[in-house]
Each structure stands twice: as structure tokens, then as C-alpha cells.
Amino acid sequence: MQLDVLAIDGLCFNYDGNRVLDGISFRVQAGDYLGIVGPNGSGKSTLIRTVLGLAEPAEGKVELFGAARAQFSEWRRIGYLPQRIKFFNPNFPATVEEVVRLGLLAGKRIPRAVTRGDDEAVGKTLELMGITGIRRKLIGDLSGGQQQRVLLARAVVGGPELLILDEPTTALDPETRENFYLLLERLNREQNTTVILVTHDTWSIGKYATRFLYLDKKIIFAGTFDDFCRSPEMTSFFGEHAQHLICHRH
Amino acid sequence: MTIAEILSYGFIQRALIAGTLIAVLCAVLGVFLVLRRLSLIGDGLAHVTFGSVAVALIFRINPVYVTLASVPLVLLSSLGILKLTERARIYGDAAIGIVSSLGIACGVLLASVAGGYNVDLFSYLFGNILSISSTELAISALLFGVVMIMVALFYNDLFAITFDEDLARSSGIKTDLINKVLVLLTALTVVLAMKVVGIMLISALLIIPAVAALQVARGFRATIVTAAGFAVFSVVAGIFGSFALNLPTGATIVIINIILFVLAFACKRFFLK
């Protein structure tokens, strides 16, 4: 039996007395590409923060690679890419290389010294992301698309088995966004990296994700994107027109 | 008087060594503090140091050991600022403001009880690096060693939480612990720096070299090295300049820092963009 990369059971989260997540349960297995969509305030980012230990649930269990999250320590197996505009300080003085190298700290003990192998891994990842030419530039001097590639490089440089991305394409232009998704698909297909992608971009989810989860404080739908588009329950939930808009592929 | 003649004085030698050590410490920690928007923690802790110096003077502790006597109270206060931020759900600057006010109020009350401000208290308020004794130099060297070893050990963790705390936590870094390490190291540095520039001007040594380096450096490590260079230059030039022109050393160091910042800003504005 295949080990679950992520298993969530009965997860509930409250914020200021309001229930933000209600009884969330699902599993993710190695090689999955799971897309999570939902309206603003549906709890998507809270769900991701709970998985990563950045927020504590009121109820329920989260297991990562078979271990309860509180006991989980192999963080090098997970790469995380947050929503860029939420945290990014444009005047931060780090070079692209320095930022990408941060992604290698997870598997190390203090003082987390850099090795020659680390430099090779950084070099290979920069090449994979097509950003070798800007390795010595300051991250604040880059375009939004380049910055996002750098942060993705930081997330994947340690060769994570699970990659979690929270609205990574916000503020990217359509072409950069498409290239970004192609890069993710390559990682999923060629390196068997499990991907969990939170996004508003339902069209891209339908195009790339193998599994689809619609969230609005609780799970409204879980299955493949095709199942979602054929589901009469979803037609009655969203209305025919909205479902058509979500499912329409260009 | 030539530079060689100035250097022949023992008190100048001690001032240069102690000043250089403290300048490096302030600059290194200052980069982390400025980028984490905790710039004023130095100011807040310096005010607490004022209170602790007043206590030490009341109990007639030998002036040589006033620095060491201040350490426990300032360390506790630095943790208090963190706790206030976490538990009382208030912003860092407000927490610094509360602890700072408490420190200065206690200092004023205690100084008043002790019979008013005397020469010793003023030397801590405005700095008197030229009066550093051999014992104080040895204490400075010891604390410098402790802080630098800790910074070297936790450098990557400090860099990670400075870049983004959530990302650092999702890499398994114990961010609460690293935040504690940062404020404790800052507290030790503030205690050391009070003799150099004085309690009133400590935050200048923590903030200005870091901000000046941020104007011109290319990379995080480069920013730290540049900030240390600026800080050491300002302290050395400040000691020589104040001695030659018969000016207060602490204030001279701060003015040189400001000049360096203006030059770095102009350099960025006209040459680097």
C-alpha cells in the first residue's frame, strides 16, 4: 500500500470565534498534482498554514509522510512557496544565489554550513529554472516573474518530495504564469514531485492538476477536474453558467 | 600631535580596541534588526541599561563591574519585549516603547533616590570610551567572543528568519528560539556599547552602519561586511577626531556615521542606479 504524503482527518480551524475550516479530510499520495481552489476567505491559505505548522488547528489530525505533524522533523522533504506579495520585502539585500541556498537549510544541523555539494545543487536548480544569468543580482532588482522563479528555485533546491504552493502566480502576467505552470508540470512529471497548488486560477488547475479540490470552509468537491465538470451536484451548486466558466478550456 | 603620538597613549589603544570590537558587533546585529524592523530595540534596551546602571551605582558597585552588573536585567528585559509581542498581541515597536519607558522611569527614580545625577551616571548616558580600563576591555573582549561565536553558529538561521519567518518555520527552523537568540545577543551588545557612545546614542551604532551598507552592498553577507567596515571606520575616526578636536567621542562617532550614510545614499542615487 502506498504511503500517504499528506493525510488530513477532521481538520477544524477557528479564527476569532469563527470557523474557518470545518471537518476537512483528504489524502495526497506520491506523484499527485492536487489543485485546491475556492473563493476568497474559503480557508485555502489557512489549510496550507495548518499543514506546515504555521497555524494550530482547533481539532483534527495532520500527518506528513506517515508522521503526526507535531512529531514531523524531515522538513527537507517539503518545499513551500508562499504568495509572493504577502511577505516580500523588495529592499531585502540578498542575491538570487543566497535566497536559493536558503532552501537547503532544512536538512542540516546548526550551524547549517554550506558544502560544495550545496553549491552544485544551487547551480543545477538555477539552470533548471532558467535563472543562471541573474544569480548575482539582488532579488529586489528582479521582475515579478523572475522573483517567483527564484522563490520556486528556493522551494525545490533541496529536492523535496512534496511541493506546496500558495497562490504562486498572483501578480504574474499571463505568459509568465503559463511558463510557471509548465515548470511545475515538469517537476511533477519528470521528478515525480507531489504538488499541492492553491490558486484562484481554475483554468490552470483543470489543465495541469490530476486531482481537484473545491474548498469553501469545508470540502465542496474532491475528485478529478473532469468529474467536477460532469457532476450534476456541482451544476446545481454553482449554476450552469458558473460551472461552464470554471470548466471551459481554451 | 602625530597619529603615532596619539597611539602611544594606553587609553587610546584601549579605546580603539574596545571600540572596534563593539562597532563590529553593533553592525552585524544591526543588519538583522533593521531588516526585521526591530531597529529601536537597541534604544529600548539602552534605556533599561540606564535603570540598571542607576541600581548598580546605588549599591556602590565598582564602576568597572557596572557593565557586568547590567547584563542580567537587560537580558531579562529583551526577553520581556519578545513576550509582550507574543502574548499581549502588540506590535514590536509598542513593546519596545513599554519596556523602554519602564527602564528610563526606574532609572530616573533610582538616580533621584541616590541623590541625583553624578559624573558616573553621565558617563554612561553620553559615553566615555576614552576612560575604558583594562578590566573593562577584557570584559568587552569576552562578551565580543561570546556574541560572535553565537552569530557564527546561528548565522544561517538568523538569515532565514530575517528573509521570511514563515518560510524559515516551514524549513524546520525554530524561529522562537532564534528570535530569543537575536534579542539576547542585542542585549549583550547594548550593555557593551553604552561605554562607547553612551546610552542615549547606542541605537545610532546599531542602525546607521546597517542602513548605510544597505544602500551600497550587493548581497546579504556583503551587507554585513560593509556595515562592519562602516562602523569600525566611524569609531576609529571618531576617537581620533574627537581627541584631536577636543570633542565628545560618542557624539563624534554618531556624526561620522551620519556622514557615511549620506555618502552611501548619494553613491546609490548617482552611481549604482
Side-chain angles (χ1 to χ4, degrees):
Chain A
M1 194 180 126
Q2 201 175 13
L3 184 71
D4 290 326
V5 168
L6 170 66
I8 295 181
D9 279 312
L11 188 80
C12 298
F13 185 89
N14 299 330
Y15 185 78
D16 277 349
N18 297 316
R19 187 139 281 202
V20 177
L21 292 172
D22 188 11
I24 307 290
S25 301
F26 67 92
R27 282 167 160 61
V28 179
Q29 295 191 320
D32 278 354
Y33 189 144
L34 172 70
I36 302 177
V37 295
N40 280 336
S42 59
K44 304 187 294 293
S45 292
T46 305
L47 175 61
I48 294 304
R49 292 179 63 79
T50 312
V51 167
L52 291 166
L54 304 175
E56 280 304 315
E59 293 168 38
K61 282 196 309 189
V62 176
E63 284 187 1
L64 290 160
F65 297 95
R69 200 212 56 206
Q71 273 79 52
F72 183 74
S73 59
E74 298 175 301
W75 292 100
R76 63 179 174 74
R77 299 175 83 176
I78 300 175
Y80 169 51
L81 177 57
Q83 198 175 345
R84 185 183 70 93
I85 51 167
K86 264 190 184 169
F87 79 98
F88 191 65
N89 168 8
N91 296 317
F92 198 85
T95 62
V96 167
E97 226 170 7
E98 287 177 319
V99 172
V100 174
R101 204 177 284 128
L102 279 174
L104 290 166
L105 298 185
K108 294 172 181 284
R109 286 174 182 276
I110 287 170
R112 308 183 204 272
V114 178
T115 64
R116 187 174 293 175
D118 291 345
D119 287 333
E120 281 170 19
V122 169
K124 276 184 191 161
T125 309
L126 292 173
E127 208 174 304
L128 176 73
M129 298 292 154
I131 50 176
T132 305
I134 55 168
R135 65 192 300 162
R136 300 210 196 288
K137 285 203 164 196
L138 294 181
I139 188 158
D141 291 344
L142 306 179
S143 68
Q146 285 174 322
Q147 285 172 352
Q148 205 59 341
R149 273 176 181 255
V150 173
L151 295 176
L152 180 60
R154 192 212 68 89
V156 302
V157 67
E161 294 159 61
L162 170 62
L163 189 56
I164 299 176
L165 307 102
D166 187 3
E167 309 221 20
T169 56
T170 310
L172 297 188
D173 62 72
E175 191 188 338
T176 313
R177 192 181 309 156
E178 183 64 18
N179 288 334
F180 187 83
Y181 283 130
L182 287 171
L183 208 55
L184 279 186
E185 196 196 20
R186 264 181 70 192
L187 288 169
N188 176 247
R189 206 181 49 234
E190 294 173 14
Q191 299 183 14
N192 201 37
T193 307
T194 308
V195 176
I196 299 177
L197 172 67
V198 170
T199 182
H200 275 102
D201 191 357
T202 46
W203 174 71
S204 297
I205 283 287
K207 196 170 172 189
Y208 298 113
T210 52
R211 287 178 57 209
F212 174 74
L213 197 144
Y214 192 92
L215 191 74
D216 192 1
K217 295 188 170 60
K218 52 190 179 181
I219 293 176
I220 306 295
F221 177 86
T224 67
F225 195 70
D226 287 336
D227 289 343
F228 172 80
C229 293
R230 283 196 291 262
S231 160
E233 288 86 5
M234 290 301 102
T235 311
S236 57
F237 183 81
F238 285 101
E240 202 169 320
H241 182 62
Q243 189 187 28
H244 176 75
L245 283 178
I246 292 171
C247 297
H248 180 64
R249 297 181 191 193
H250 298 269
Chain B
M1 191 177 275
T2 64
I3 289 181
E5 282 172 327
I6 296 175
L7 280 173
S8 66
Y9 292 110
F11 68 91
I12 290 283
Q13 292 165 5
R14 287 193 296 276
L16 284 172
I17 296 169
T20 301
L21 299 181
I22 290 157
V24 170
L25 286 185
C26 284
V28 171
L29 291 172
V31 171
F32 295 110
L33 295 173
V34 165
L35 287 169
R36 287 181 62 65
R37 296 182 183 159
L38 285 170
S39 303
L40 287 177
I41 197 167
D43 210 38
L45 291 175
H47 290 162
V48 173
T49 313
F50 174 67
S52 65
V53 167
V55 172
L57 294 177
I58 280 183
F59 287 104
R60 301 189 188 286
I61 290 174
N62 184 335
V64 168
Y65 299 110
V66 166
T67 303
L68 280 180
S70 300
V71 169
L73 188 60
V74 181
L75 289 179
L76 279 175
S77 303
S78 65
L79 293 177
I81 289 173
L82 269 191
K83 277 280 171 236
L84 267 177
T85 312
E86 289 163 11
R87 295 279 167 86
R89 292 176 79 180
I90 57 177
Y91 291 112
D93 55 349
I96 291 169
I98 292 170
V99 173
S100 166
S101 312
L102 181 67
I104 204 94
C106 290
V108 170
L109 285 175
L110 291 169
S112 164
V113 168
Y117 299 88
N118 55 32
V119 176
D120 282 339
L121 195 53
F122 268 103
S123 80
Y124 289 104
L125 274 175
F126 300 105
N128 193 0
I129 193 172
L130 299 181
S131 71
I132 280 185
S133 66
S134 299
T135 311
E136 284 172 316
L137 179 61
I139 292 169
S140 299
L142 179 72
L143 291 182
F144 172 83
V146 170
V147 176
M148 286 310 278
I149 287 170
M150 294 295 279
V151 169
L153 273 177
F154 289 102
Y155 171 80
N156 282 313
D157 294 55
L158 286 165
F159 177 28
I161 64 161
T162 305
F163 183 65
D164 185 79
E165 202 161 318
D166 278 356
L167 278 179
R169 280 174 74 186
S170 71
S171 297
I173 291 172
K174 293 182 169 52
T175 54
D176 291 347
L177 171 72
I178 303 303
N179 275 323
K180 283 193 183 93
V181 168
L182 180 61
V183 295
L184 288 173
L185 295 181
T186 305
L188 278 179
T189 304
V190 163
V191 171
L192 273 180
M194 70 180 165
K195 203 74 193 248
V196 180
V197 285
I199 288 163
M200 304 302 285
L201 298 172
I202 279 174
S203 58
L205 260 191
L206 282 166
I207 297 171
I208 305 170
V211 174
L214 283 169
Q215 307 302 311
V216 290
R218 313 285 296 171
F220 194 76
R221 202 175 282 265
T223 303
I224 289 178
V225 172
T226 310
F230 283 158
V232 170
F233 176 82
S234 70
V235 168
V236 173
I239 289 170
F240 279 114
S242 62
F243 186 77
L245 301 170
N246 197 24
L247 295 169
T249 312
T252 310
I253 290 170
V254 173
I255 295 298
I256 292 172
N257 266 307
I258 297 281
I259 293 169
L260 285 174
F261 167 69
V262 172
L263 290 175
F265 179 75
C267 185
K268 180 187 183 185
R269 178 85 175 75
F270 298 111
F271 300 112
L272 296 179
K273 283 275 172 182

